[in-house]
Every structure is written in C-alpha cells, then in structure tokens.
Amino acid sequence: MTTRLREAMDDVRRSVAVLAARVRDAHAARVWLPLGHSSWESYCAAEFGISRAQAYRLLDVARSLAAIHGAVAAGTETSRTRDSDPAAAAALDYGLSQRALIAVSGRSSDVAELITRRLATLAHSGLQGLDEATVRAVVRQAVRDVRTAPPPRPAEPPADPTVAALRRVVDDLAASTHAIGELMLEVAPAYLSDIEAADVLALLCEQIGEPLEHGLAARRYAISGDRRALHGTVL
C-alpha cells in the first residue's frame, strides 16, 4: 500500500511538471488574445476554472523546472560516464514539491548556477558517476540551499569601523528576518497573494507580537531574496 502511495505521488509530481510546462507555453504564446479573453487571469478562469493565484503558481513551477532542467543538461554534458544522457537527466523526477519550486522561482538562476557548478565538480573529480540518484541529490540539495540562505553580504566591507559594525547588525537582522519569512511560508505558502496571506497570518502575528506588515515583509523577503522587501518595515 505504501509503495502504491509513493507511485501515485510520483505520478502527481510528473503530471504537475507537464501541466506547468504547457501553461508556460500558453502564457508565452498569449493564447488568450485570439480566444477573445482580456487577460491571462480571465482566460484561466473561463477555460479551466482556476484562480489567478493557481495560474501564476503553475508559471512559477514551470520557471523553476526549466532552469533546473537546463542546468542538469549543461552539467551532465561534462560527465565522462555513459549513464548520464542529458535528455534522460532532464526528464528525471527530482522529487521536489510544488512549494519548493515556487519558493525558488524568483531565484531560479541561483539554483541553476549552483547545480551546474556542483555537477561539473563531481564530473571532473572522477570519484562518482553522474547517475540519476546523484543528479537528483544534487538538485534537491541546491534547491534546499537556495531556499534557506539569505543573499550574500557585500564583498568589500566599509573602511569606517562604525559603518562596518552597523552593517553587521543590519546583516544579522536581515538573516533573522529571512528565517522568520521561511516560517511564515510554512503557514502561508508562496502561491498565496499578500491579501490571502494576510488573512492566514493575522492571528499568528498577533500571537507572536509581530506587526502583520512586518510578517508579510519577511515572507516577501524569503520568497524573493531581495532585501528591498524589508524597506519601511524591519529595515
């Protein structure tokens, strides 16, 4: 029974990936215009009965998967093994949840760069073949690392010691806020709009003594990795 459940979950992930790719193609082709719809949102609502949030969530999933597939294809081409065909690797089920893919959609280039670099390192080391299990593990770890890591600090610290100390405080505050944002995403996933997330997070923010505006800003920061999401609130 457990095996059948796992197989069903794998089927769902693969189906979502196919659906997301077709949604991406439809959005790129602006198919709503020849069909007489005023917008992407109205097209999705009329043709498929899905909400604006669902439609854009699928686009986020497709964006992340496209970046990951491209990175895997580029990385496995450097392998000297025969069992790492890029076409087969691109079709690999990475076992990633929709929430994980949505969470890194705004940082898909960072995920792709990390995957490419790690696969190239493994291939050139000659210590491990790039079989499906290895590629899958590299992809999952890269997504996890990008999701949990705040943006890097500036490479050159200020010369003024006072400014440098203040920047460290700000960086620490931003890192803590990023962690809070990740927790907010556990309650209000990334596919929810700010308005929908506010309804979900209002009670939580009240219970922890945090203004709702700050909680939403932390959530936006965790989604985008852009510190400007915190301007006027935490920073």
Side-chain angles (χ1 to χ4, degrees):
M1 189 176 294
T2 301
T3 299
R4 289 198 297 271
L5 283 171
R6 287 199 185 100
E7 291 172 349
M9 293 176 69
D10 290 341
D11 289 343
V12 168
R13 279 196 298 267
R14 283 189 287 266
S15 296
V16 168
V18 171
L19 175 60
R22 290 179 180 173
V23 165
R24 179 197 61 206
D25 293 342
H27 186 267
R30 300 174 68 83
V31 295
W32 61 90
L33 294 177
L35 294 178
H37 298 289
S38 60
S39 65
W40 169 251
E41 295 91 334
S42 62
Y43 163 74
C44 288
E47 298 290 340
F48 312 114
I50 64 176
S51 68
R52 176 181 181 275
Q54 289 173 308
Y56 281 101
R57 178 178 63 185
L58 287 171
L59 286 176
D60 287 340
V61 170
R63 185 181 303 111
S64 295
L65 283 174
I68 290 170
H69 290 339
V72 168
T76 53
E77 283 175 353
T78 65
S79 174
R80 298 176 182 176
T81 63
R82 295 183 177 181
D83 57 352
S84 56
D85 176 24
L92 180 66
D93 174 19
Y94 305 110
L96 296 168
S97 67
Q98 289 187 54
R99 185 170 71 180
L101 292 167
I102 292 167
V104 299
S105 63
R107 291 171 279 175
S108 56
S109 59
D110 293 337
V111 174
E113 191 276 333
L114 194 57
I115 292 170
T116 301
R117 187 171 71 245
R118 289 178 177 176
L119 289 177
T121 299
L122 284 174
H124 290 303
S125 71
L127 299 177
Q128 187 173 7
L130 295 183
D131 56 11
E132 288 191 359
T134 301
V135 172
R136 193 173 189 262
V138 168
V139 169
R140 289 171 63 86
Q141 187 61 50
V143 169
R144 187 180 300 113
D145 289 346
V146 171
R147 285 188 71 187
T148 57
R153 299 181 179 184
E156 298 181 2
D160 188 322
T162 301
V163 175
L166 287 172
R167 177 172 287 181
R168 284 194 297 271
V169 172
V170 170
D171 288 341
D172 289 343
L173 178 59
S176 299
T177 305
H178 188 278
I180 292 173
E182 285 286 341
L183 294 175
M184 293 292 176
L185 285 173
E186 294 291 330
V187 180
Y191 61 82
L192 295 179
S193 68
D194 260 13
I195 295 175
E196 293 169 323
D199 292 338
V200 177
L201 294 175
L203 180 59
L204 173 62
C205 288
E206 181 180 346
Q207 290 175 335
I208 65 175
E210 185 74 12
L212 176 59
E213 184 181 0
H214 289 190
L216 291 171
R219 176 177 174 272
R220 288 192 295 270
Y221 180 41
I223 293 172
S224 66
D226 190 337
R227 195 174 291 187
R228 289 174 296 181
L230 305 177
H231 287 180
T233 55
V234 179
L235 296 178

